[in-house]
Amino acid sequence: MNPVSLAASFKDQYHHTPMIVRAPGRINLIGEHTDYNNGFVMPAAIDKHFLFAVAANNTNQFNIQAVDLHETISFSLDELKAGHHWSNYLMGVIDGMARRGKKIEGVDVLFTSNIPAGAGLSSSAALCSGFGFALNELFRYNLSRLELALIAQESEHRFVGAQVGIMDMYASLFSRTGSVMLLDCRSYTHEYLPFQFGNFELLLVDTKVKHSLASSAYNNRRQACEEGVKIIKQNRPEVQSLRDVDETVLQIFKPSMTEEVFRRCNYVVKEIDRTRQAAHHLKKNDLTAVGKLMYETHRGLSSEYEVSCPESDWVVTTARETGVTGARQMGGGFGGCVLCLLSISVKNIFIEKVKAKYFAQFEKEPDFYSIELSEGVALV
Ligand code: ADP
Ligand code: MG
């Protein structure tokens, strides 16, 4: 559905003229599981997005329709509650605004999205960021984009129970066309890095594996990182997180750690460093070097952090065998999408090869999405 037809449906249904907001999903080029270790990530918004049609309705009711799901929900401010439904994400955003002292007024909303949900492209962050942005514009709340990102994050924490980092909503709100950003997850500041495609493309291979193991494994990996920091801290009190540790320091404390804690920490320390290196290579427009780092990241995710799965490993191995420049599983783990950096000449050969063999191996049809880097949340 495009903005014009969404606005037309809105008018049919609610008989007034809406404001239209676009809110994109995101990729993360490199920097996986570094966010909660105060490290760096390298996200960018993509050309897949939510569209919201929103107008004030001069009542205290929220009337919201998820067009793709044919579901409509109505509620008022005193009916906000936690849960796992799409409406809970939006309730969390309203709650965040109320807790910041904003005067909450009712709206009519229609929204739709072409971001595949649950594939690791952060549809949930785009949902929260776009809705927050729309309310902020409509009622002139004067919240900054950073506050909107924090409200979106709080919504996932408090209303959906997903302990997500800041990256997804930050990327949805702050991205610029044609760039990735080096986001410092300690200071919440970012630097834009132009991504000059030349003969290259970014392609996502959706493995169609839903990350069911993800939340328990995620908590367990976080604990391993915290355990590592605790051990180092006993002798180096200035160390707050793995961001403050390099490989040399980690080696010193290796004997005090279990083999598993060391391996997890070692992955994170190297991944923070790889992300810094990738920024350096991007500044020189050396995408081949960035691709090599992506393969190293995948090896780390698979054998050190142990959050990959046979399907992602197979796609990455096939990518390497086919001359793809870089490939890695993207997102928390155990499936979702594999992000590939590849030259245009290799793209079709690679897609055909995956199509021909993936189903026989895994009994699932993969999807392929070519990615453009787009601007963050905006009025249309
Ligand atoms: P991800 O953020 O990786 O896409 P999540 O599980 O975090 O996956 O978020 C997916 C949730 O976002 C869905 O369960 C649903 O609540 C909401 N969502 C995503 N797309 C839509 C949509 N088109 N319409 C309504 N809700 C959606
Ligand atoms: Mg999400």
Side-chain angles (χ1 to χ4, degrees):
M1 214 178 207
N2 63 36
V4 176
S5 54
L6 185 69
S9 304
F10 185 97
K11 271 187 211 159
D12 280 351
Q13 198 156 321
Y14 297 115
H15 312 294
H16 47 163
T17 303
M19 163 190 278
I20 307 284
V21 168
R22 177 185 171 282
R26 63 104 192 91
I27 53 157
N28 182 28
L29 192 61
I30 195 161
E32 207 62 77
H33 290 279
T34 50
D35 56 346
Y36 52 84
N37 290 296
N38 288 340
F40 293 96
V41 291
M42 200 177 279
I46 60 174
D47 55 337
K48 298 200 177 297
H49 51 252
F50 275 83
L51 286 173
F52 293 87
V54 186
N57 60 19
N58 303 312
T59 72
N60 58 12
Q61 280 294 116
F62 288 83
N63 306 312
I64 308 184
Q65 184 181 342
V67 175
D68 312 322
L69 305 176
H70 309 287
E71 283 180 22
T72 306
I73 297 244
S74 288
F75 57 90
S76 62
L77 184 57
D78 48 14
E79 292 173 306
L80 306 184
K81 59 177 191 293
H84 294 284
H85 190 251
W86 56 264
S87 58
N88 302 111
Y89 292 93
L90 304 180
M91 291 181 182
V93 171
I94 297 165
D95 180 69
M97 300 199 159
R99 282 187 299 111
R100 281 164 179 79
K102 303 301 174 192
K103 183 168 177 280
I104 304 300
E105 297 174 53
V107 287
D108 296 332
V109 183
L110 277 193
F111 74 89
T112 177
S113 157
N114 61 4
I115 308 171
L121 302 181
S122 286
S123 64
S124 61
L127 177 63
C128 294
S129 305
F131 184 60
F133 182 91
L135 295 183
N136 193 42
E137 288 294 311
L138 209 53
F139 300 116
R140 303 187 186 287
Y141 288 152
N142 274 319
L143 292 161
S144 68
R145 283 183 186 251
L146 181 57
E147 283 170 301
L148 292 174
L150 292 168
I151 288 170
Q153 186 191 24
E154 281 167 31
S155 170
E156 295 220 28
H157 287 185
R158 294 165 50 103
F159 275 70
V160 189
Q163 296 305 313
V164 294
I166 193 77
M167 169 172 73
D168 303 345
M169 33 292 286
Y170 198 101
S172 186
L173 282 154
F174 282 95
S175 286
R176 265 192 201 161
T177 309
S179 296
V180 296
M181 64 170 90
L182 181 66
L183 167 59
D184 182 332
C185 298
R186 168 170 277 167
S187 62
Y188 291 175
T189 54
H190 65 278
E191 178 188 353
Y192 294 108
L193 303 165
F195 192 96
Q196 285 157 350
F197 281 97
N199 289 325
F200 287 95
E201 267 194 43
L202 286 170
L203 176 77
L204 287 166
V205 181
D206 189 341
T207 63
K208 297 293 183 62
V209 182
K210 297 283 174 204
H211 23 271
S212 61
L213 277 168
S215 70
S216 59
Y218 179 85
N219 291 336
N220 165 292
R221 299 303 183 276
R222 280 187 84 134
Q223 275 165 16
C225 295
E226 282 165 22
E227 176 67 23
V229 170
K230 212 168 94 190
I231 290 165
I232 299 169
K233 232 182 151 112
Q234 286 166 0
N235 282 288
R236 308 219 175 180
E238 71 281 8
V239 168
Q240 297 300 319
S241 66
L242 291 177
R243 165 74 174 272
D244 304 318
V245 177
D246 60 21
E247 283 187 67
T248 321
V249 171
L250 195 62
Q251 281 298 336
I252 298 173
F253 292 93
K254 185 177 178 182
S256 328
M257 296 176 180
T258 64
E259 190 277 329
E260 184 180 310
V261 166
F262 172 77
R263 197 153 31 87
R264 306 292 191 235
C265 293
N266 193 36
Y267 162 79
V268 169
V269 166
K270 287 194 290 187
E271 181 68 357
I272 293 173
D273 187 51
R274 277 192 286 268
T275 309
R276 285 201 183 98
Q277 286 182 47
H280 172 78
H281 293 314
L282 271 184
K283 284 176 187 164
K284 295 182 165 174
N285 199 24
D286 186 350
L287 294 186
T288 307
V290 173
K292 275 196 190 121
L293 292 170
M294 291 167 75
Y295 278 123
E296 281 176 31
T297 294
H298 189 79
R299 204 177 303 123
L301 289 171
S302 186
S303 60
E304 295 175 331
Y305 222 56
E306 295 178 291
V307 292
S308 187
C309 61
E311 290 85 347
S312 295
D313 287 347
W314 184 89
V315 172
V316 172
T317 302
T318 305
R320 192 194 291 278
E321 289 168 1
T322 318
V324 168
T325 307
R328 70 176 196 85
Q329 177 185 269
M330 196 182 73
F334 311 104
C337 286
V338 171
L339 177 64
C340 302
L341 171 64
L342 73 191
S343 73
I344 294 167
S345 59
V346 164
K347 183 179 165 186
N348 286 337
I349 303 167
F350 174 59
I351 291 178
E352 288 312 317
K353 195 162 171 182
V354 174
K355 270 190 185 160
K357 297 190 172 166
Y358 189 82
F359 187 84
Q361 197 109 352
F362 302 111
E363 298 191 342
K364 284 182 270 285
E365 289 290 353
D367 265 334
F368 301 88
Y369 313 115
S370 289
I371 294 297
E372 307 263 342
L373 304 184
S374 88
E375 76 166 317
V377 180
L379 287 174
V380 176

